[in-house]
Amino acid sequence: MKRILLMVLYNLPFVPWWWFQLCYYAAHTDKIPEDKKYALLKKITVHANKGGRVKIKVYGKEHIPGEKGFMFFPNHQGLFDVLSIIEACDVPFSVVAKIEVKDILFLKQVFAILKAKFMDRSDVRQNMKIIQSVTEEVKEGRNYLIFPEGTRSKKGNEVGEFKGGSFKSAMNAKCPIVPVAMLNSYQAFDTNSIRPVTVQVHFLKPIPYEEYQGMKSTEIAEMVKRQIVETIGRYHG
């Protein structure tokens, strides 16, 4: 992709060292403190975005919970989404992604450092194991990000269907749900353009367990989607 090449060329003097660090951290992720790993990802992402002519505008940063053990639920626009949230968020988090993106260069190293989990949508049993694993880790204080659409919308700022099953881990962990509205993220990697891009990341007010307790997963999905769609409608244009 043209923009990735632009990112590399802009940061060319630093790329060999950063790539070595990325690969080393990815291979030794269990031995390196979370804060140190996340700081590396954030530093590289910020410089790469600047070189790639991508500006990240962050809204609602104060809504990110101060206590560990919460889950982000953003709309899914493209391959750039996770990188934009890394720049926008100062708190380490992990990711649940679809298995198809597991081996994409650079993202592969980023996901390894984040200790991401990958879902094979054709394997129900494997998905159940991941839901249980994420539940336990969130209970222990790890933060997670899941895209409730399950796949990129491929329609720009239009939001697709939110799947109720995406919220099972949050429900089981009884943790805060943080809706995240993404705008224009698809323009970074999912278009063949290097024009300047401004991506908006809106962290919406957390939904505590007490507010969604007793609701069905599909009802939670609709509630979170509605908040994100309303935010996109308010800021898009």
Side-chain angles (χ1 to χ4, degrees):
M1 288 178 276
K2 293 180 180 179
R3 195 178 303 275
I4 292 179
L5 180 61
L6 188 65
M7 290 175 170
V8 171
L9 291 175
Y10 182 88
N11 294 286
L12 196 57
F14 310 102
V15 168
W17 173 237
W18 287 347
W19 181 248
F20 170 78
Q21 285 183 297
L22 269 179
C23 293
Y24 181 85
Y25 279 32
H28 302 84
T29 187
D30 290 328
K31 299 180 180 179
I32 302 172
E34 293 292 329
D35 290 347
K36 185 176 182 180
K37 291 187 294 184
Y38 194 72
L40 173 68
L41 291 180
K42 195 171 180 69
K43 178 179 71 173
I44 293 175
T45 300
V46 168
H47 283 276
N49 290 348
K50 182 178 180 181
R53 308 172 79 189
V54 181
K55 182 179 180 181
I56 309 295
K57 293 188 70 173
V58 188
Y59 301 82
K61 209 168 186 178
E62 70 278 7
H63 291 150
I64 299 174
E67 295 184 3
K68 296 179 179 179
F70 60 84
M71 296 187 71
F72 288 130
F73 289 92
N75 57 306
H76 196 7
Q77 295 197 336
L79 295 171
F80 187 73
D81 291 347
V82 171
L83 299 182
S84 61
I85 295 175
I86 287 175
E87 177 168 339
C89 179
D90 297 329
V91 181
F93 61 90
S94 193
V95 179
V96 176
K98 60 181 182 179
I99 200 167
E100 288 84 353
V101 301
K102 185 177 182 179
D103 295 319
I104 295 177
L105 194 65
F106 179 61
L107 288 181
K108 176 180 179 179
Q109 284 71 31
V110 171
F111 284 140
I113 290 171
L114 292 175
K115 302 181 75 172
K117 299 186 185 300
F118 297 94
M119 277 192 167
D120 181 350
R121 287 171 290 183
S122 66
D123 190 339
V124 176
R125 181 174 296 181
Q126 185 253 12
N127 291 351
M128 294 299 294
K129 288 181 179 179
I130 288 180
I131 289 172
Q132 182 59 34
S133 178
V134 171
T135 298
E136 294 305 319
E137 290 187 25
V138 172
K139 284 181 178 180
E140 293 170 3
R142 193 170 186 83
N143 310 315
Y144 262 91
L145 180 152
I146 293 181
F147 294 107
E149 288 163 284
T151 189
R152 290 171 283 170
S153 69
K154 297 182 180 180
K155 293 183 179 180
N157 289 312
E158 185 177 329
V159 181
E161 178 189 357
F162 276 24
K163 297 174 174 59
S166 303
F167 294 87
K168 289 292 186 180
S169 292
M171 296 169 70
N172 294 339
K174 301 180 180 180
C175 73
I177 288 172
V178 184
V180 184
M182 308 288 299
L183 284 87
N184 303 326
S185 180
Y186 70 96
Q187 295 179 8
F189 285 170
D190 290 68
T191 62
N192 193 29
S193 171
I194 57 172
R195 290 182 299 178
V197 174
T198 299
V199 175
Q200 297 182 37
V201 180
H202 297 257
F203 297 105
L204 307 186
K205 187 177 178 181
I207 306 170
Y209 174 69
E210 291 73 21
E211 287 189 19
Y212 66 83
Q213 182 180 10
M215 294 176 64
K216 296 178 180 178
S217 61
T218 51
E219 293 172 334
I220 298 172
E222 282 303 313
M223 174 177 63
V224 172
K225 177 182 176 180
R226 182 172 62 253
Q227 292 185 14
I228 290 174
V229 169
E230 289 174 355
T231 301
I232 290 175
R234 196 178 312 128
Y235 286 86
H236 181 50

